[in-house]
Amino acid sequence: MPHKVDHAAILKSHAEVRGDIGNIWQSIDPAKTAHLIVDMQNGFVAEGAPVEVPEARGVVDEINRLSRAVRDAGGVNVFLRFTTPDPEGPAAWPIFAERMMDGIAAHREAFTKGADYWQMWPEIEVDTADLLVDKHRFSAFTPGTCDLHSILSERRIENLLISGTLTNCCCESTARDAMQLNYRVIMAVDACAALSDEAHAGTLDSMALAFADLRTVDELEGMLTKQAAAEAAA
């Protein structure tokens, strides 16, 4: 099950400074929208995985539902995979190794490209029209981590929907950087997973403060369908 967090209350707590407005964006242009699915890999989702996030198994259905809605409306799904960088290459991350201490060897092995834990969780639906992008940092927009920003710019993407795990690590890092690159960011609140309700809520609070709108998959599905229908009727 998704986290038990009242995102409406979080929005309300920040609305006063915006004239009692919680979410800023009331519509989504699907043609300019990408859904970023963050790190839904075996190494984060499987029982007993090196970086297991049990709640991640509970948001798979919501992620798949949002992915289908984005495809049907004409947007693009981008599945991000955390991938161990070459410790001697240009994407090397020695500071992460220092922070992981004795756990770095197992972490590097788990997320080496091609390893079982590196693979996408098998219940996540990936279509041939979707994109798979490997990244070497928590944020997919850190310079040198991957080509995501260029890929989105080439497609003239302006809006980002974010789901996946961890809410308060890779999802949050990606969302923060995306907003500062002038993307409109919306967190899919019931399609993101952290290690606790408190951690999940903390990120949503930070997002609502300055970085992103907060929407459920139901809300996003409705917004995408409404806009696609309006464009078809025009």
Side-chain angles (χ1 to χ4, degrees), residues 37-185:
I37 303 95
V38 181
D39 297 352
M40 289 297 289
Q41 298 158 265
N42 292 338
F44 295 101
V45 185
E47 291 188 35
V51 194
E52 182 186 359
V53 184
E55 195 68 34
R57 294 189 289 275
V59 299
V60 170
D61 288 347
E62 296 306 305
I63 290 173
N64 287 340
R65 187 154 65 95
L66 182 55
S67 296
R68 289 193 294 269
V70 168
R71 286 189 207 102
D72 292 345
V76 60
N77 293 304
V78 183
F79 292 85
L80 301 174
R81 294 180 293 202
F82 185 86
T83 305
T84 299
D86 181 349
E88 304 299 328
W93 197 6
I95 292 298
F96 182 50
E98 289 182 22
R99 292 200 59 82
M100 288 291 292
M101 301 181 71
D102 292 343
I104 190 61
H107 194 282
R108 281 176 172 163
E109 181 180 0
F111 294 103
T112 295
K113 189 170 185 176
D116 181 67
Y117 281 130
W118 172 83
Q119 306 289 344
M120 294 297 300
W121 181 243
E123 294 179 23
I124 289 288
E125 298 171 1
V126 182
D127 190 83
T128 54
D130 300 331
L131 304 179
L132 286 158
V133 175
D134 298 337
K135 63 182 179 69
H136 302 298
R137 294 289 191 279
F138 297 150
S139 168
F141 293 106
T142 299
T145 190
C146 66
D147 296 326
L148 180 62
H149 186 41
S150 297
I151 292 168
L152 299 177
S153 297
E154 289 171 1
R155 291 172 175 261
R156 299 183 179 180
I157 297 298
E158 299 177 359
N159 315 307
L160 298 181
L161 316 179
I162 295 182
S163 68
T165 197
L166 281 155
T167 311
N168 57 323
C169 188
C170 292
C171 295
E172 178 172 354
S173 298
T174 297
R176 284 174 178 267
D177 287 349
M179 179 268 184
Q180 294 177 97
L181 288 170
N182 285 316
Y183 292 99
R184 300 182 185 92
V185 181

